[in-house]
Amino acid sequence: MLSSNADSIFWMSRYLERSGNIARYLDVNWHMTLEASDEYDTQWEPLITTTGDIDDFASRYDEASRESAIYFLTSDEDNPNSIISCTKMLRLNAMRVRHIIPTEMWENINIFYHFIKNNVKRPKRIMNNPYDFCLEVKRYNTLIGGIAFDIMDHDEKWNFFNMGRFIERSESTTRILDVKYHVLLPSPGHVGTVLDHVQWNALLKAVDGLESFRQRYGNTSPGKVASFLLLDRLFPSSVLFCLNQAHEHLHAISNTQTWEFSNIAEKQLGQLCNSLSYCTVDDVVEQGLHEFIDDIQIRIGKLQHAITDTFFTGKPRIEKQQFWR
Amino acid sequence: MKGNYTFEDYQLQGFYDENIDSTNAPRRSAKLLSRMLETLTSEELVAIQNSADKSFFDLGITFTVYADEMGTEKIFPFDIIPRIIEAQEWERLERGLKQRIHALNLFIDDIYNDQKILDDGVVPRELVEGSPGFFKECMGIKPPQRVWCHITGTDLVRDSDGTFYVLEDNLRCPSGASYVLANRQILKRIFPQVFARSKVRNIEDYPSLLLEMLYEVAPERPGRPSVVLLTPGCFNSAYYEHVFLAQQMGIPLVEGTDLVVDEGYVYMRTTKGLERVDVIYRRINEDFLDPLVFNKDSLIGIPGVMDAYRKGNVTLVNAPGTGVADDKAIYAYVPRIIRYYLDEEPIIPNVPTYLCSEHKDLEYVLDNIGELVVKEVDGAGGYGMLIGPHSSKEMQDAFAQKIRENPRSFVAQPIVSLSRCPVIVEDGFEGRHVDFRPYILHGKEIKIMPGGLTRVALKKGSIVVNSSQGGGSKDTWVLGR
């Protein structure tokens, strides 16, 4: 397929996923603060840290109140990672590949975009109760993802679509874990307090993982949550799960086995999956959770460059042999 | 509750109406439709009209108004009452269009090769070679099948006596075919009952006819030709059409940056490396095609593509240089062009045209400017023209001045009182002026989609049908026998 089309499908999918993730975080955070004492009302700033935009936020807003945070994350067009910005980019990328994605997919992306655009015109309504708004964002995410699975050919574009979704999700899970860990365990004295439990649950809810966690891991503990979010092989938002999926799709594109590699992107992603596959939560603790996550994030960043370079620039491909030893 | 709308007190006001005859009764072809419309309550009709608008909006068949920051999107207005063309009338139009396109294609091929028609003095050489649509870079090119104007959208209008005239030939990059298909698709979706027993001819296979034609004109080489559609990008106002046609034909939609020329061959950049391209259905103007040959500042073109084209390694559709034949001054010569190449009388007449480049005509135009439509020869989209009866004395004087300064750039025509067709307005049916653009494909043979774009001037009294100036469209039904 055209390099530029692959690029657009990939980013279309990343922006779709990103909008859903923001809606999920926002929703969970909002619910948590409803039952909160003053102590919890400070919980809006970490949320913005999670999306990686705290500097931008701090430069333009006085403080992280519920109103300012919700506005920033949903309706602020100057924030490149707000829901409105994500849906704009989602639609723009979809527009560029409108001829190869199912009409139904385009139509729903278009309706989704207009829904968001109309809603952010009245940000007060979202600030007062973001629940319905977030619910719709999540529903469109599921709907459009479902159309991709059910209607789109499972060909190259489908592989790029999935690769985008899973890479975006893996990054997002690392961020939310990193930030929440900091907030949740400011000092060892906090472990085991009531506050703790509420927040751990919120963290799991934010990645739609509380139910699955309970069923398989039982009660929450920091180590178990870290293990679940980073290394679980079955939970669809765990970092390892996402990267393994991306790995499969990456190899489906070049039609090679996952134990070999034919380009730099395959090499990097294979190494990353391997190092996570043969890792336990004790190894993570030993290295330090923050350092561990930092390393993964850097490697995902490099992977993104490698993907761009390999597929989106339209350079002639390097032959497989050149990579063998 | 307003009750039903009827055609009883429909006002013809002296115009020819496509669906209603001079006794205010529906024409035979429109009887079923008109009766059906009268059985619906006004609320039902408005509801259908609204759901049409919503369908266009949801499907993103829109254009963007950049006045505000967010970019307000608007749909191309669509009126749900179809315009109907009878089988017999269509067959005559079809013959006439085939004849015209056949002759025009021979003309273009002759102009860029032997120039017999110029040597024989049938069309003045200076008119052709001075035309802004004439590209000397195209001299000597012999495209596959000797086809230049692969896709034509000819604008037809009907006068008050019911005669169809050719208003202009769009031989360069005619647009609108996707709207014809979308209009039909959406009308079927929201108003299926209206099709019952009407024997409307199917237009759905236009994309496959188009693709077949593109295959036919590919350079000879084994295997299925690789065909792409070249668009200026997703901010172009016709982008919807580019997407739609690429999708329906299942071909890649490319921008200039997706293509690269190497050693006289054109390739596209794919995730698996470079892939050869045989046919480019270009939807960018020829002046932007190749910065090495035409407009040097073009950022949307492909450097070297003209060289590849000249060598016969890629086919450009439509061929660059066809604009010479839809120049509004050359237009006046088309009846003579048909007689010259085919030795036949034109089946569909031209609107009489005065060439300001000819002294006698110029005087007539200047004396009668208040009664004429004056057009710039390379103007398009309803711009650069003066409608005499609808203009002030100052505007006429200003235009007369422009004509005197550069007579070659202007032609004038008497006002054709465009036929009308009913549309739904607030409290009933009213007539609005329409034109008609059928699409003609020229590959090994000439084929015509049985239908076309009916554009309608939705503003009361207006005769400008262009979408940029308040025009809308209708579904067009060609009836089978």
Side-chain angles (χ1 to χ4, degrees):
Chain A
M1 74 187 291
L2 281 180
S3 301
S4 57
N5 287 172
D7 192 352
S8 297
I9 293 253
F10 182 86
W11 281 101
M12 172 185 104
S13 159
R14 283 196 74 154
Y15 281 112
L16 174 68
E17 178 71 23
R18 194 171 295 176
S19 69
N21 291 339
I22 296 167
R24 220 170 275 125
Y25 302 161
L26 181 59
D27 185 35
V28 168
N29 217 59
W30 182 69
H31 274 103
M32 202 171 69
T33 56
L34 283 181
E35 306 152 313
S37 57
D38 294 345
E39 202 173 348
Y40 292 96
D41 231 16
T42 56
Q43 291 301 315
W44 289 100
E45 194 173 298
L47 182 65
I48 293 164
T49 314
T50 305
T51 64
D53 299 303
I54 191 68
D55 293 341
D56 175 32
F57 181 85
S59 72
R60 296 193 287 118
Y61 293 79
D62 288 341
E63 52 161 0
S65 64
R66 184 179 75 183
E67 283 79 11
S68 63
I70 293 181
Y71 182 81
F72 180 73
L73 291 172
T74 60
S75 318
D76 186 341
E77 288 186 57
D78 294 327
N79 169 13
N81 294 318
S82 65
I83 290 179
I84 179 66
S85 298
C86 287
T87 43
K88 251 179 154 173
M89 291 305 289
L90 160 68
R91 182 169 182 267
L92 185 63
N93 280 289
M95 214 184 225
R96 297 196 164 117
V97 287
R98 194 165 149 183
H99 61 299
I100 52 170
I101 62 177
T103 300
E104 204 176 325
M105 180 183 251
W106 158 254
E107 196 174 352
N108 278 291
I109 289 173
N110 196 36
I111 296 172
F112 178 31
Y113 164 75
H114 284 293
F115 166 81
I116 300 295
K117 195 178 134 183
N118 287 331
N119 270 272
V120 300
K121 280 184 200 148
R122 292 179 294 272
K124 274 268 175 311
R125 268 188 10 194
I126 307 175
M127 287 176 206
N128 290 336
N129 182 356
Y131 175 73
D132 288 332
F133 178 78
C134 290
L135 186 68
E136 280 304 302
V137 175
K138 289 188 278 178
R139 271 162 48 142
Y140 276 109
N141 254 266
T142 316
L143 175 64
I144 295 162
I147 293 174
F149 190 87
D150 285 343
I151 302 181
M152 215 187 286
D153 276 350
H154 286 202
D155 59 1
E156 209 178 340
K157 60 179 173 287
W158 190 70
N159 288 314
F160 277 109
F161 181 86
N162 283 304
M163 217 162 60
R165 282 206 102 173
F166 283 114
I167 289 175
E168 177 69 30
R169 197 181 297 167
S170 67
E171 256 196 332
S172 156
T173 302
T174 60
R175 279 220 207 90
I176 195 164
L177 179 61
D178 194 25
V179 173
K180 284 291 174 182
Y181 220 92
H182 268 290
V183 178
L184 293 177
L185 293 174
S187 72
H190 279 81
V191 177
T193 60
V194 180
L195 170 149
D196 237 355
H197 273 284
V198 174
Q199 297 229 11
W200 283 117
N201 292 349
L203 166 56
L204 289 167
K205 269 192 211 158
V207 292
D208 270 339
L210 181 61
E211 292 163 20
S212 128
F213 181 87
R214 276 286 142 69
Q215 287 164 25
R216 296 194 283 120
Y217 290 65
N219 246 332
T220 35
S221 82
K224 281 200 272 182
V225 173
S227 175
F228 178 68
L229 293 183
L230 289 173
L231 307 173
D232 195 88
R233 285 160 201 272
L234 304 176
F235 173 56
S237 290
S238 95
V239 177
L240 179 58
F241 182 96
C242 291
L243 293 176
N244 275 337
Q245 288 290 323
H247 195 208
E248 301 263 336
H249 290 290
L250 182 59
H251 279 274
I253 292 164
S254 61
N255 206 11
T256 52
Q257 304 295 325
T258 46
W259 43 260
E260 59 181 355
F261 61 92
S262 61
N263 57 52
I264 191 80
E266 288 171 1
K267 177 170 177 256
Q268 290 183 356
L269 184 51
Q271 286 177 335
L272 183 52
C273 287
N274 257 1
S275 51
L276 285 176
S277 295
Y278 298 101
C279 183
T280 66
V281 74
D282 292 339
D283 299 328
V284 177
V285 172
E286 195 179 315
Q287 193 184 340
L289 180 74
H290 176 68
E291 289 70 21
F292 186 86
I293 288 177
D294 212 31
D295 179 51
I296 297 178
Q297 285 174 346
I298 290 169
R299 290 169 74 177
I300 294 176
K302 280 189 184 155
L303 170 66
Q304 175 61 57
H305 280 292
I307 289 173
T308 304
D309 215 46
T310 307
F311 299 110
F312 304 156
T313 53
K315 288 185 202 146
R317 279 280 290 279
I318 301 155
E319 285 309 309
K320 191 156 114 185
Q321 293 85 304
Q322 288 178 258
F323 273 99
W324 290 96
R325 263 166 250 274
Chain B
M1 173 92 191
K2 288 182 195 162
N4 301 10
Y5 295 161
T6 72
F7 286 100
E8 259 166 50
D9 16 280
Y10 183 75
Q11 301 291 318
L12 292 172
Q13 296 169 315
F15 294 104
Y16 183 93
D17 195 279
E18 296 291 335
N19 291 11
I20 306 295
D21 72 16
S22 55
T23 67
N24 252 26
R27 293 185 190 281
R28 192 162 51 110
S29 54
K31 236 175 222 152
L32 270 173
L33 169 74
S34 309
R35 278 208 205 108
M36 208 256 103
L37 290 171
E38 287 177 331
T39 63
L40 296 172
T41 66
S42 52
E43 282 86 358
E44 283 170 324
L45 274 176
V46 170
I48 293 169
Q49 182 67 56
N50 289 343
S51 86
D53 294 348
K54 183 173 182 301
S55 298
F56 278 98
F57 194 76
D58 286 351
L59 276 167
I61 308 178
T62 52
F63 64 99
T64 310
V65 181
Y66 289 101
D68 69 301
E69 200 197 332
M70 267 306 255
T72 301
E73 286 183 35
K74 295 206 162 160
I75 58 168
F76 289 104
F78 171 73
D79 179 82
I80 59 171
I81 303 179
R83 181 255 189 97
I84 301 181
I85 299 177
E86 274 205 315
Q88 213 180 343
E89 184 158 52
W90 172 254
E91 281 157 22
R92 202 183 67 82
L93 286 179
E94 202 174 18
R95 280 202 309 281
L97 290 165
K98 281 185 178 170
Q99 175 196 52
R100 190 172 178 100
I101 298 310
H102 186 192
L104 284 171
N105 188 65
L106 291 173
F107 171 69
I108 301 166
D109 196 54
D110 187 21
I111 289 299
Y112 288 116
N113 285 286
D114 305 335
Q115 302 201 328
K116 284 194 202 119
I117 197 167
L118 303 185
D119 295 342
D120 289 341
V122 177
V123 181
R125 180 177 291 274
E126 33 332 323
L127 200 63
V128 168
E129 293 182 348
S131 160
F134 174 78
F135 289 134
K136 60 178 187 317
E137 293 86 351
C138 298
M139 286 303 294
I141 292 179
K142 296 175 173 61
Q145 315 288 346
R146 302 300 281 257
V147 177
W148 294 73
C149 50
H150 307 85
I151 304 158
T152 307
T154 301
D155 287 342
L156 301 176
V157 292
R158 207 204 282 263
D159 202 359
S160 48
D161 65 356
T163 312
F164 268 111
Y165 292 91
V166 174
L167 188 64
E168 59 188 48
D169 305 285
N170 298 290
L171 298 163
R172 283 171 282 188
C173 244
S175 64
S178 61
Y179 295 103
V180 178
L181 300 174
N183 285 353
R184 176 68 56 84
Q185 198 186 335
I186 283 175
L187 197 68
K188 276 182 174 173
R189 200 195 256 198
I190 54 148
F191 206 8
Q193 61 272 42
V194 83
F195 285 88
R197 294 182 292 129
S198 293
K199 290 201 283 188
V200 183
R201 285 184 65 183
N202 194 303
I203 51 173
E204 252 166 36
D205 69 339
Y206 178 74
S208 64
L209 290 178
L210 182 57
L211 184 61
E212 194 54 43
M213 181 278 286
L214 294 168
Y215 284 156
E216 284 171 6
V217 298
E220 292 270 346
R221 103 180 154 103
R224 193 169 74 172
S226 154
V227 179
V228 300
L229 194 156
L230 175 64
T231 171
C234 67
F235 296 108
N236 184 271
S237 60
Y239 185 69
Y240 165 72
E241 168 144 315
H242 308 161
V243 164
F244 181 86
L245 292 175
Q247 182 191 45
Q248 295 295 310
M249 290 190 281
I251 63 173
L253 178 65
V254 303
E255 295 181 29
T257 49
D258 290 314
L259 299 181
V260 56
V261 179
D262 186 39
E263 308 266 323
Y265 289 92
V266 182
Y267 300 90
M268 56 183 159
R269 301 175 206 270
T270 80
T271 55
K272 309 243 154 96
L274 298 179
E275 232 172 78
R276 178 91 177 262
V277 172
D278 298 303
V279 181
I280 301 174
Y281 172 20
R282 55 155 186 113
R283 293 299 300 261
I284 69 178
N285 284 342
E286 46 209 351
D287 3 350
F288 290 100
L289 256 182
D290 188 341
L292 301 182
V293 179
F294 303 117
N295 189 336
K296 311 264 176 296
D297 303 324
S298 170
L299 297 174
I300 53 176
I302 310 134
V305 73
M306 273 303 283
D307 178 49
Y309 171 61
R310 261 185 175 287
K311 289 182 168 139
N313 295 336
V314 70
T315 306
L316 297 172
V317 172
N318 288 353
T322 50
V324 69
D326 70 6
D327 180 301
K328 291 186 175 69
I330 305 285
Y331 164 88
Y333 287 89
V334 175
R336 278 172 260 188
I337 290 172
I338 293 174
R339 286 184 207 108
Y340 179 79
Y341 291 108
L342 306 179
D343 199 17
E344 291 171 6
E345 276 305 303
I347 297 170
I348 312 173
N350 257 15
V351 179
T353 302
Y354 304 98
L355 297 172
C356 298
S357 57
E358 293 184 12
H359 187 67
K360 210 173 66 192
D361 285 7
L362 175 63
E363 289 204 333
Y364 179 84
V365 171
L366 292 175
D367 289 347
N368 297 282
I369 196 162
E371 276 86 60
L372 298 169
V373 179
V374 187
K375 296 173 173 176
E376 255 177 279
V377 291
D378 57 349
Y383 292 104
M385 69 187 216
L386 176 85
I387 301 173
H390 295 188
S391 62
S392 65
K393 186 78 182 65
E394 288 76 41
M395 284 157 77
Q396 292 173 11
D397 289 346
F399 234 82
Q401 186 56 34
K402 282 207 286 185
I403 298 171
R404 273 191 215 98
E405 280 163 16
N406 195 358
R408 168 65 181 84
S409 296
F410 294 92
V411 298
Q413 294 169 334
I415 302 257
V416 180
S417 68
L418 294 190
S419 63
R420 303 202 310 189
C421 194
V423 300
I424 296 175
V425 296
E426 216 161 284
D427 45 6
F429 302 119
E430 268 183 27
R432 289 289 184 273
H433 294 290
V434 293
D435 78 349
F436 177 47
R437 177 183 289 184
Y439 293 87
I440 303 104
L441 300 178
H442 193 339
K444 280 185 178 152
E445 297 165 45
I446 299 177
K447 292 178 179 164
I448 305 179
M449 160 177 29
L453 185 64
T454 291
R455 296 186 297 177
V456 46
L458 289 170
K459 256 188 279 170
K460 195 169 191 163
S462 168
I463 56 169
V464 185
V465 295
N466 303 77
S467 55
S468 49
Q469 303 192 37
S473 71
K474 283 171 162 294
D475 190 16
T476 308
W477 290 3
V478 169
L479 301 187
R481 277 188 182 269

